[in-house]
Amino acid sequence: MKVVIIGGVAGGATAAARLRRLDETAEIVVFERSGYVSYANCGLPYYIGGVIEDPEALTLQTPESFFARFRVDMRVRHEVIAIHPEGKTVSVRNLETGAEFEERYDKLILSPGASPTQPRLPGVGLERVFTLRTVEDTFRIKDYINAHHPGSAVLAGGGFISLELAENLRELGMEVTVVQRPRQLMNPFDPDMAAFIHSEVRRHGIRLALGQTVEGFEERDGGVDVLLKDGGPLHAGMVVLAIGVTPDTALAKEAGLELGLKGSIAVNDRMETSVPDIYAVGDAVQVKHFVTGQDAVISLAGPANKQGRIAADNICGGDSRYSGSQGSSIVKVFDLTAASTGVNETNARKAGLEADAVVLSPMSHAGYYPGGKVMTMKVVFEKGTYRLLGAQIVGYEGVDKRIDVLAAAIRAGMTAIQLRDLDLAYAPPYSSAKDPVNMAGFMVENLAGGVVKQFRLEDVKALPRDGSVTLLDVRTPQEYAGGGIEGFRNIPVDELRERLGEIEAGKPVYAVCQSGLRSYIACRILAGHGFETYNFSGGFRFYDAVVNDRRLIEQAAACGMDLP
């Protein structure tokens, strides 16, 4: 059996290694048009910033090491220019010599990945306008910075690569501006959770131009002007386009393979395309979202690796199935860690799901043990069934392990209530006896059982201020004096029983505290005395962060720039 693989990196290289482990006699050939067959995409921004100093550290395998270990014929700088399914051959061009030849296959795996989205805008091809996807892209950016020492950069796009690159360029001492058409960074997060990311970015001096559309680029004064639709130009020493990626599927289209969402390659759960003996994996393929069941294109290394393994299994006679992607991801943002899994509340509703959420602010470990830090968690679930749909966490220590627990819970089909039952490791330096994940389950259980009702951020503005309801802030007087929600009066929770006479009977009570815990206790006290109560989800800490972020975005919209 002869297997030809188009493209290396996560999907193609994984498939090649798995094929060899399953079949010692198969002939395996990989064609990779770049000069690197297996490299760490996610590490590229950190090489530019100098965190990773050795360029060889980016290369996970070389053609020589891959051949030595697996006897796989890895041919870099070779581009497949056509697929001929009827004759089971591919046309290949050697990019070093220009020579072209035909290569036969019994089975073909497509792992072409995705290319940086290149908008058709004036000036995209300018010398100082870069994209970042490959090792070669990384070296070009690094060499330009070393040679020209630009003092500033504009990054078009607000996703993973842009955010990581923004941090690394800022650490090099550059003035950095991020331009993003949506009014938030990091679309896997809901806008309220993205507020915490915005705050950290601003705190480190990065300027945000959210809700701004780039219309082109012009060279001026030894730099580049970034032209905005609704504002003056931004001038910088260099520009990096990081507005997303597009499935690289021209070969598949020309060969007559069925395409899907965003021009991706349609595959079944065995990673088979519409043409017999041709498989496809990685960033170029359409998959099912594990939570919504809808078609999706999810460009992440984890799914690509799994898909490569599944394709290899099936080529070797197995019956492996890909059950879908849920988009689990994590990113470092200076001192902050932001992670998500499943679907956020916004996208759940777009998918037609009746979604609700709880927001909590637990400590990373036991409060009495030194060094604990607050994280913000948002756990999304389906109303009625309480099916766990997704989660987002922004914080410092312990974010990664909590998001992985929640990702596993989603994959296991658990409800949000069942999070209470997870038996998680506890010692004071690492967690609390009631882990934050357990706490989320307790909160959803209380909602489901009618122990408490909640009101959300989007409900605050519509609350009547005419006296028909009681708006109650149960923090300490000192906290209350530092700022609160308009119309909320202060009675500290520890004085509440003695001051019940100050709360008019028969009126619903809407309670808030700093994180949601004391106001929950207040709601239980009041409910025990016959009051109808509602607890504010997330507390004033959450409210203040989100409202302040929205105010800054609105101010920026007026002048086209968000000053840190």
Side-chain angles (χ1 to χ4, degrees):
M1 178 175 65
K2 181 174 182 179
V3 182
V4 170
I5 302 174
I6 301 176
V9 198
T14 296
R18 178 67 170 172
L19 282 165
R20 176 57 73 226
R21 289 194 292 268
L22 296 178
D23 188 337
E24 184 63 20
T25 65
E27 181 182 358
I28 307 167
V29 182
V30 179
F31 294 113
E32 167 61 46
R33 64 186 169 197
S34 78
Y36 301 86
V37 73
S38 181
Y39 56 88
N41 294 75
C42 300
L44 302 182
Y46 297 99
Y47 174 71
I48 293 171
V51 177
I52 298 173
E53 297 180 355
D54 184 358
E56 293 186 4
L58 298 172
T59 305
L60 305 179
Q61 291 277 4
T62 65
E64 294 77 18
S65 67
F66 219 100
F67 183 81
R69 178 68 56 84
F70 298 109
R71 294 301 189 269
V72 169
D73 184 2
M74 290 280 192
R75 304 188 200 177
V76 296
R77 303 290 295 156
H78 280 71
E79 181 178 16
V80 174
I81 56 178
I83 302 169
H84 311 291
E86 66 287 347
K88 286 195 169 184
T89 64
V90 294
S91 299
V92 187
R93 178 182 294 130
N94 184 325
L95 297 179
E96 299 285 358
T97 66
E100 297 183 5
F101 59 92
E102 300 288 304
E103 190 81 18
R104 178 190 65 80
Y105 68 84
D106 296 310
K107 304 287 184 179
L108 180 66
I109 300 177
L110 306 183
S111 181
S115 302
T117 302
Q118 291 269 22
R120 295 183 178 180
L121 297 175
V124 162
L126 293 176
E127 179 187 3
R128 296 177 179 85
V129 178
F130 301 88
T131 58
L132 178 57
R133 182 68 175 176
T134 66
V135 174
E136 288 91 344
D137 294 337
T138 307
F139 291 159
R140 277 192 292 271
I141 294 173
K142 183 76 168 179
D143 290 345
Y144 179 82
I145 291 172
N146 290 339
H148 299 281
H149 305 288
S152 58
V154 170
L155 309 182
F160 291 97
I161 290 293
S162 180
L163 210 54
E164 291 168 343
L165 187 56
E167 175 181 344
N168 280 276
L169 295 180
R170 186 68 183 136
E171 296 290 354
L172 291 176
M174 297 173 64
E175 295 292 330
V176 178
T177 303
V178 178
V179 183
Q180 168 86 325
R181 181 182 296 175
R183 292 168 69 91
Q184 71 169 85
L185 302 176
M186 296 298 294
N187 288 330
F189 293 81
D190 285 312
D192 50 11
M193 294 296 289
F196 294 90
I197 300 173
H198 299 166
S199 177
E200 182 73 0
V201 166
R202 294 186 187 107
R203 190 171 71 86
H204 284 84
I206 290 177
R207 300 169 182 262
L208 298 179
L210 303 176
Q212 299 287 338
T213 301
V214 176
E215 291 200 320
F217 310 93
E218 292 180 354
E219 289 186 336
R220 181 175 67 84
D221 298 336
V224 184
D225 274 352
V226 180
L227 309 178
L228 303 181
K229 181 178 180 180
D230 297 315
L234 303 175
H235 188 74
M238 62 181 292
V239 173
V240 180
L241 297 177
I243 57 178
V245 293
T246 302
D248 192 349
T249 56
L251 278 176
K253 182 178 181 180
E254 291 168 4
L257 275 66
E258 181 183 343
L259 301 183
L261 193 67
K262 300 179 182 179
S264 58
I265 303 171
V267 293
N268 61 17
D269 60 358
R270 289 170 48 87
M271 309 314 298
E272 297 168 324
T273 71
S274 59
V275 174
D277 298 320
I278 299 181
Y279 297 73
V281 302
D283 294 354
V285 305
Q286 173 180 283
V287 297
K288 294 294 183 184
H289 195 288
F290 182 78
V291 175
T292 67
Q294 296 180 345
D295 292 334
V297 177
I298 298 178
S299 300
L300 292 169
N305 275 279
K306 296 179 183 69
Q307 293 159 15
R309 179 185 176 91
I310 288 168
D313 285 352
N314 292 325
I315 286 173
C316 292
D319 186 26
S320 291
R321 307 277 174 161
Y322 188 66
S323 58
S325 298
Q326 66 190 64
S328 300
S329 60
I330 191 166
V331 64
K332 176 182 179 294
V333 187
F334 293 100
D335 300 323
L336 205 65
T337 300
S340 68
T341 187
V343 288
N344 61 31
E345 188 175 14
T346 304
N347 289 334
R349 290 175 177 172
K350 286 180 180 178
L353 297 170
E354 287 288 322
D356 200 356
V358 291
V359 177
L360 58 158
S361 302
M363 294 288 285
S364 57
H365 61 241
Y368 62 84
Y369 188 88
K373 295 184 178 180
V374 174
M375 65 178 73
T376 305
M377 294 178 59
K378 183 175 186 179
V379 176
V380 183
F381 57 91
E382 187 174 36
K383 292 181 180 178
T385 68
Y386 298 96
R387 177 167 69 107
L388 189 57
L389 302 177
Q392 302 150 63
I393 312 177
V394 181
Y396 301 91
E397 297 174 358
V399 168
D400 51 346
K401 73 174 182 178
R402 271 64 184 229
I403 205 68
D404 283 343
V405 169
L406 289 160
I410 291 172
R411 184 64 55 162
M414 294 177 64
T415 68
I417 296 172
Q418 288 174 320
L419 296 175
R420 71 188 176 188
D421 301 323
L422 290 174
D423 194 347
L424 304 174
Y426 159 62
Y430 303 105
S431 184
S432 299
K434 292 184 287 189
D435 188 87
V437 175
N438 298 136
M439 291 300 301
F442 295 145
M443 292 171 68
V444 179
E445 179 187 31
N446 284 338
L447 290 173
V451 173
V452 69
K453 291 181 282 188
Q454 68 176 9
F455 65 109
R456 304 280 304 281
L457 185 71
E458 58 268 26
D459 302 320
V460 172
K461 190 174 182 180
L463 289 175
R465 266 74 173 180
D466 59 1
S468 58
V469 301
T470 298
L471 306 179
L472 191 63
D473 188 321
V474 300
R475 295 176 297 160
T476 66
Q478 292 78 12
E479 289 175 302
Y480 182 74
I485 303 175
E486 180 186 357
F488 279 70
R489 58 177 295 205
N490 181 226
I491 301 179
V493 64
D494 292 338
E495 302 175 11
L496 190 56
R497 290 182 178 89
E498 289 71 32
R499 298 175 61 178
L500 285 174
E502 299 177 30
I503 304 173
E504 189 172 345
K507 293 182 179 180
V509 179
Y510 291 80
V512 66
C513 71
Q514 191 68 8
S515 68
L517 175 58
R518 284 174 289 172
S519 51
Y520 162 64
I521 294 170
C523 285
R524 293 308 305 150
I525 292 170
L526 292 168
H529 290 272
F531 288 90
E532 178 186 355
T533 60
Y534 298 85
N535 186 33
F536 181 62
S537 179
F540 179 74
R541 172 183 173 273
F542 182 74
Y543 172 89
D544 190 49
V546 177
V547 170
N548 185 57
D549 179 63
R550 290 176 179 174
R551 177 181 59 81
L552 290 173
I553 294 173
E554 291 295 338
Q555 290 176 352
C559 65
M561 180 55 58
D562 183 7
L563 299 176

